[in-house]
């Protein structure tokens, strides 16, 4: 960069929307990580005998987010502490940790979205086109994000990050589209679970609200990041929003797991009330209980005394049950 350009940049440089924005994003991300850690602790305390697959996912997501936060901390420290107020750092190649953080963030999003795709698969009675579209969009986002990471390592100046708008916009757009498709699919297929029975329908309505709120929150953050990146690429405000995005995904997954009932140390969606659960994936029918074969033996001794066999040998009650995930 020429001396004249450096002088012009020095006059327009704003610490608040660059270094300050990065620090604010780091602080918000730290809070989200704290919430995630609390949820992980709650999960292992409530479900000590849960399926190993779920335990692996929880530990894996938590470790990925720990690594992601460490990368964010290193990048923010480099810009905010080591090079505080040094404008020339913006014209040097990006700090390696700032670039690598992008990949860790999208990996978390991919894991969570695949699990939500499984919910769509079960709610939709194995609808291949819809589930396939979600999986395709999810891995497309992962591929584009990895491409963005590779190109970012080739930048000779952080100030040139706007040169990768096309790839960055495509990645964020795919992520937002995936969230919308997941939320829309869940809402559409959940409508088929309505029976006309007020208590059962209240459960379904709660699940629809959860799907909309979860997909809506992540979509808003993605859209905000996308807009800021395209219209304000010369500051770090868009980075602040991206720092928290992956932790919102991870928290949504942990929140879903932690809403399940506990049956002898394992997670189950067996309900003795009409309170909603976010992990219902089976067909809910009016006044019918669908038992998960894996938990049937464990749950049989805990059935409510009010549950009696009907003339067909089934169990009738105002309760509902659906297999988790």
């Amino acid at each position: 960069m020429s001396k004249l350009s450096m002088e012009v940049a020095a006059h327009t440089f704003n610490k608040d929307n660059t270094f300050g924005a990065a620090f604010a994003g780091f602080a918000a991300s730290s809070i989200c990580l704290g919430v995630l850690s609390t949820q992980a602790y709650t999960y292992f305390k409530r479900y000590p005998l849960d399926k190993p697959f779920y335990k692996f996912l929880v530990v894996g997501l938590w470790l990925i987010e720990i690594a992601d936060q460490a990368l964010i901390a290193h990048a923010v420290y480099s810009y905010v502490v080591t090079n505080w107020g040094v404008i020339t750092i913006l014209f040097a190649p990006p700090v390696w940790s700032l670039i690598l953080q992008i990949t860790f963030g999208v990996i978390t999003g991919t894991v969570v979205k695949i699990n939500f795709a499984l919910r769509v698969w079960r709610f939709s009675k194995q609808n291949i086109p819809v589930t396939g579209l979600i999986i395709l969009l999810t891995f497309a986002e992962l591929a584009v994000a990895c491409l963005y990471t590779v190109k970012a390592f080739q930048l000779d100046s952080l100030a040139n990050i706007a040169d990768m708008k096309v790839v960055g916009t495509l990645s964020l757009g795919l992520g937002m589209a995936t969230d919308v498709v997941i939320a829309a699919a869940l809402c559409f297929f959940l409508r088929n679970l309505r029976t006309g029975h007020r208590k059962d329908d209240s459960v379904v309505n709660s699940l629809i609200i959860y799907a909309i709120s979860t997909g809506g929150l992540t979509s808003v953050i993605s859209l905000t990041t996308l807009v800021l990146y395209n219209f304000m690429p010369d500051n770090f405000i868009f980075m602040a929003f991206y720092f928290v995005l992956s932790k919102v995904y991870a928290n949504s997954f942990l929140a879903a797991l932690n809403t399940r009932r506990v049956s002898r140390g394992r997670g189950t969606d067996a309900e003795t009330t009409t309170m909603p659960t976010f992990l219902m994936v089976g067909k809910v029918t009016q006044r019918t209980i669908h038992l998960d074969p894996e938990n049937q033996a464990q749950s049989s001794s805990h059935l409510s005394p009010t549950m009696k066999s009907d003339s067909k040998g089934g169990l009738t009650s105002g309760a509902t049950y659906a297999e988790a995930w």
Side-chain angles (χ1 to χ4, degrees):
M1 175 174 283
S2 66
K3 183 178 181 180
L4 178 60
S5 298
M6 288 285 291
E7 291 177 353
V8 172
H11 286 294
T12 59
F13 177 66
N14 187 329
K15 296 188 184 75
D16 293 328
N17 61 19
T18 50
F19 297 152
F23 179 77
F26 169 71
S29 181
S30 298
I31 295 173
C32 292
L33 180 61
V35 175
L36 180 65
S37 299
T38 301
Q39 291 211 73
Y41 172 79
T42 301
Y43 168 78
F44 283 104
K45 186 176 181 179
R46 292 192 65 190
Y47 312 104
L49 302 179
D50 208 6
K51 295 179 181 179
F53 176 72
Y54 294 155
K55 292 182 177 181
F56 174 78
L57 282 179
V58 172
V59 173
L61 285 175
W62 185 76
L63 290 177
I64 291 173
E65 285 308 308
I66 288 290
D68 180 76
Q69 188 67 9
L71 292 172
I72 295 174
H74 178 271
V76 171
Y77 189 91
S78 298
Y79 288 109
V80 175
V81 179
T82 306
N83 298 285
W84 171 253
V86 180
I87 187 175
T88 54
I89 191 64
L90 300 177
F91 304 104
V95 176
W96 64 271
S97 53
L98 182 65
I99 300 174
L100 198 57
Q101 179 271 330
I102 298 172
T103 303
F104 275 74
V106 78
I107 289 175
T108 295
T110 299
V111 172
V112 173
K113 290 173 184 179
I114 290 299
N115 278 278
F116 280 116
L118 293 177
R119 297 180 70 190
V120 173
W121 169 261
R122 290 165 178 156
F123 270 128
S124 63
K125 298 181 180 179
Q126 295 79 47
N127 187 299
I128 295 178
V130 175
T131 308
L133 175 61
I134 295 173
I135 294 176
L136 178 63
L137 289 173
T138 299
F139 282 104
E141 178 193 7
L142 177 63
V144 176
C146 290
L147 176 62
Y148 186 92
T149 301
V150 173
K151 287 184 172 294
F153 273 114
Q154 299 172 353
L155 288 176
D156 56 3
S157 171
L158 181 60
N160 296 332
I161 195 172
D163 296 343
M164 301 193 303
K165 277 186 179 180
V166 175
V167 180
T169 300
L170 181 59
S171 178
L172 291 169
L174 285 170
M176 185 174 61
T178 307
D179 294 337
V180 172
V181 171
I182 290 175
L186 286 174
C187 292
F188 177 79
F189 292 116
L190 279 168
R191 291 177 59 190
N192 297 329
L193 300 183
R194 287 175 175 166
T195 63
H197 190 265
R198 184 168 57 88
K199 292 183 178 181
D200 290 346
D201 288 351
S202 67
V203 175
V204 175
N205 292 335
S206 297
L207 289 172
I208 292 176
I209 293 174
Y210 175 76
I212 294 175
S213 59
T214 302
L217 178 60
T218 53
S219 296
V220 167
I221 296 176
S222 296
L223 178 61
T224 302
T225 306
L226 188 153
V227 171
L228 291 173
Y229 179 50
N230 278 273
F231 293 96
M232 302 171 63
D234 55 344
N235 59 51
F236 291 172
I237 298 178
F238 71 92
M239 292 184 188
F241 283 90
Y242 189 79
F243 286 166
V244 304
L245 181 59
S246 65
K247 292 170 182 59
V248 173
Y249 279 121
N251 272 297
S252 68
F253 177 77
L254 265 294
L257 287 181
N258 286 335
T259 56
R260 298 175 299 162
R261 294 282 179 171
V262 182
S263 176
R264 294 190 178 184
R266 306 185 67 174
T268 175
D269 284 325
E271 298 288 347
T272 55
T273 69
T274 55
M275 292 299 292
T277 168
F278 298 146
L279 296 179
M280 293 174 61
V281 295
K283 179 68 175 178
V284 179
T285 58
Q286 183 174 347
R287 302 184 62 79
T288 302
I289 300 177
H290 298 275
L291 292 176
D292 182 0
E294 185 168 353
N295 292 323
Q296 185 172 4
Q298 298 178 1
S299 302
S300 59
S301 61
H302 300 283
L303 291 177
S304 171
T306 60
M307 299 178 185
K308 300 179 180 179
S309 298
D310 61 12
S311 58
K312 297 181 180 180
L315 290 172
T316 60
S317 171
T320 58
Y321 177 86
E323 179 186 353
W325 290 101

